[in-house]
């Protein structure tokens, strides 16, 4: 590369890190990989997943699943952050 030039990949990465779209795109990545991270059963009974201010909000109407997820909060945070490659989720809220 010539002096003062950046690759398209670097330019897009820089744009995304500064963009207001980043939190929403991160949320979509979590939703797309949820079944792979948590398994088919948990994924099937999870109604919604939202990322709001570093808090991952997980909604389900199945009481035993709510309890299992609340016991697994630390594991969920670790799995999601590892999948993303950065510390994005700091807390899990089960509804």
């Amino acid at each position: 590369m010539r002096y003062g030039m950046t690759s398209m990949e670097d330019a897009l990465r820089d744009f995304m890190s500064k963009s207001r779209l980043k939190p929403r795109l991160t949320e979509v990545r979590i939703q797309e990989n949820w079944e792979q991270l948590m398994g088919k059963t948990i994924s099937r009974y999870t109604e919604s997943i939202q990322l709001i201010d570093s808090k991952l909000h997980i909604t389900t109407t199945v009481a035993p699943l709510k309890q299992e997820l609340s016991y697994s909060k630390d594991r969920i945070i670790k799995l999601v952050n590892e999948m993303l490659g950065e510390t994005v989720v700091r807390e899990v809220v089960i509804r």
Side-chain angles (χ1 to χ4, degrees), residues 11-12 23 25 27 34-35 40 45 49 52 55 58 65 70-71 83-84:
L12 284 172
L25 291 174
E27 181 179 312
W34 186 247
E35 183 176 327
K40 287 184 179 186
Y45 295 108
I49 302 163
I52 303 169
K55 295 179 185 178
I58 304 169
L65 180 58
S70 51
Y71 289 139
M83 183 267 302
L84 295 171

Side-chain angles (χ1 to χ4, degrees), residues 15-16 18-24:
F15 171 75
M16 289 309 300
K18 296 174 184 174
S19 172
R20 294 183 338 198
L21 296 174
K22 185 178 181 183
R24 179 64 181 128

Side-chain angles (χ1 to χ4, degrees), residues 7-61:
S7 70
M8 183 64 92
E9 178 183 2
D10 291 339
L12 284 172
R13 187 175 291 128
D14 186 46
F15 171 75
M16 289 309 300
S17 69
K18 296 174 184 174
S19 172
R20 294 183 338 198
L21 296 174
K22 185 178 181 183
R24 179 64 181 128
L25 291 174
T26 302
E27 181 179 312
V28 170
R29 283 183 59 200
I30 294 169
Q31 292 169 347
E32 289 177 347
N33 292 294
W34 186 247
E35 183 176 327
Q36 179 184 359
L37 291 171
M38 300 305 295
K40 287 184 179 186
T41 305
I42 291 175
S43 177
R44 182 180 310 137
Y45 295 108
T46 303
E47 292 180 8
S48 73
I49 302 163
Q50 295 177 309
L51 184 62
I52 303 169
D53 297 329
S54 297
K55 295 179 185 178
L56 187 65
H57 293 261
I58 304 169
T59 305
T60 182
T61 57

